[in-house]
Amino acid sequence: MGETGRRARPGPRRALSEREILDAAMRLLDGGGAEALSVRSVAAELGVAPNALYTYFASKPVLVRALVDDLLGQVGPGTLTPADDDWRGAVTRFALALRETLLAHPGAVPLLLGSGFDGPNALAGGEALLDLLVRAGLPQDTASRASYLIITYILGTVALDAAELPPGVPRPDDAARTAARRGRLAGIPADRFPRTAATADVVAGYNSTEQYLWGLTRLLDGILTGPPGRSTAS
Amino acid sequence: MGETGRRARPGPRRALSEREILDAAMRLLDGGGAEALSVRSVAAELGVAPNALYTYFASKPVLVRALVDDLLGQVGPGTLTPADDDWRGAVTRFALALRETLLAHPGAVPLLLGSGFDGPNALAGGEALLDLLVRAGLPQDTASRASYLIITYILGTVALDAAELPPGVPRPDDAARTAARRGRLAGIPADRFPRTAATADVVAGYNSTEQYLWGLTRLLDGILTGPPGRSTAS
DNA sequence: ACCTGAACACCGTTCAAGT
DNA sequence: ACCTGAACACCGTTCAAGT
């Protein structure tokens, strides 16, 4: 391992940074899932001794929390801001963006659920969503409850979705995903699970964007508690 | 649980079984969270060599899946069955029972989200919920989508809840939990998160049973997509 | 301030061997 | 069939030391 050389092409593996560490960690996560992420594997990825990372992160849990919140920060920041009166559309865009960001890194999802949703970027996202709901005209306390309900739905859906995605391979599109699930559903005994078998076509699509939007629409309808029929989502 | 030997008090640590292993694993999980559960710690708990467990479970992931599904099997089996016409009440009872069972073992929740919701008992629970919704009069496909929406809400809520519970100590009641959260919320900058600060009383209660039921009610209202006001839940 | 070597107490899993 | 001893390739973290 050389050092001091100016042209760092194949050059020295020095000059670490938080950014570089988080990027390497995410690379490992994407390649092999949560179990591929270790202090030692990150260090190896960066060509550095394992304990070098402790200069930047006090422990592995601290690193993981930073990684997770960093990912949340990648959700399109403008997704939730103005929303020309169409607040259901804005919530829908936000929900889609957050889901897309997380499912692009399925290995990070169990880490997110394990670390909690309380980093700076998580707080900022919650605030933005809440602000939107208030500006939409919901009473403040209702808006607060509703924002948690929405977050809870997004994360629950994404968690079940991500748990089924194998690490290291690109995420299949909805059609392929549904087809694969339908194949697996063919194996479940119809006499013991008749309703599940009878609706296998729907069950196969549980992880689809379409089911996601269906659920979100029901949820927003329920929040309004008013008569349906004026959905803007989708 | 002794067998052949009559006085197995300080006796031989033999005669293992799947049941005994799962119980020991859950004990460790309850005592120290997910990180306290290792093949070696379970073996030590049972006074047995680490590799002895491989007679019963092919690998740690297999053990974890069994553990998680076993826990799901503990949800009151009758919670969801007849429901004298009051299907919202039945769904509510089911949602409360599932949440209670999982939050009694918060360390198991990240394992559940990581393992997926596809064991035999998970399937049976999904079937029972779906069956209830069909019998309630929902069109079959709508019932199927709705059952997934409900599951997704329950698991998302429980995941965020469990992530905040420290292992090894009994779960605080809602009042204590809310008070502790409010204390922490006092520390967030009101200028950067004005809406969150303004609704801190609500935010403090995000993990309460009351908020849980509020969300569930909105959800069921949305599933009906009809006019509100005839909620049976709670 | 930042990195390394070496060591600590752990992991999950396999293999050959014993009963 | 069921368990053990020993070993393998890993973990996260600490400590003293180097620059």
Side-chain angles (χ1 to χ4, degrees), chain A residues 18-19 21-23 25-27 29-30 34 37 57 62-77 79 94 96-113 115-125 154-155 158-159 162:
Chain A
E18 296 199 4
R19 185 68 272 140
I21 291 170
L22 292 177
D23 290 343
M26 192 56 88
R27 244 176 284 138
L29 214 47
D30 290 342
L37 174 66
F57 298 98
V62 169
L63 197 172
V64 166
R65 295 183 83 88
L67 186 64
V68 156
D69 199 63
D70 186 61
L71 178 58
L72 291 177
Q74 293 174 22
V75 180
T79 358
F94 170 72
L96 286 171
L98 178 48
R99 170 170 176 265
E100 219 47 51
T101 300
L102 293 177
L103 290 185
H105 305 278
V109 173
L111 301 181
L112 167 62
L113 273 316
S115 302
F117 193 74
D118 50 9
N121 285 324
L123 265 179
I154 296 173
L155 296 185
V158 169

Side-chain angles (χ1 to χ4, degrees), chain B residues 9 14 29-30 35 44 120 143 149 152 187 208:
Chain B
R9 252 349 265 133
R14 306 286 158 108
L29 214 48
D30 291 341
E35 73 182 19
L149 171 57
T152 248
S208 68

Side-chain angles (χ1 to χ4, degrees), chain B residues 147-216:
Chain B
S147 74
Y148 188 66
L149 171 57
I150 292 168
I151 289 290
T152 248
Y153 170 65
I154 297 174
L155 295 184
T157 307
V158 168
L160 289 183
D161 196 332
E164 218 185 73
L165 292 172
V169 297
R171 180 159 69 110
D173 65 17
D174 279 3
R177 185 75 176 288
T178 298
R181 280 178 56 90
R182 195 193 320 253
R184 254 172 285 134
L185 281 165
I188 76 144
D191 52 331
R192 293 184 50 209
F193 306 104
R195 301 292 192 195
T196 305
T199 60
D201 284 356
V202 177
V203 177
Y206 274 177
N207 299 295
S208 68
T209 301
E210 197 238 337
Q211 161 76 25
Y212 183 62
L213 291 174
W214 184 90
L216 184 62

Side-chain angles (χ1 to χ4, degrees), chain B residues 124-147:
Chain B
E127 172 77 15
L129 177 58
L130 173 51
D131 187 55
L132 176 76
L133 296 178
V134 171
R135 282 186 291 119
L138 291 185
Q140 221 177 31
D141 285 3
T142 304
S144 186
R145 299 185 104 118
S147 74

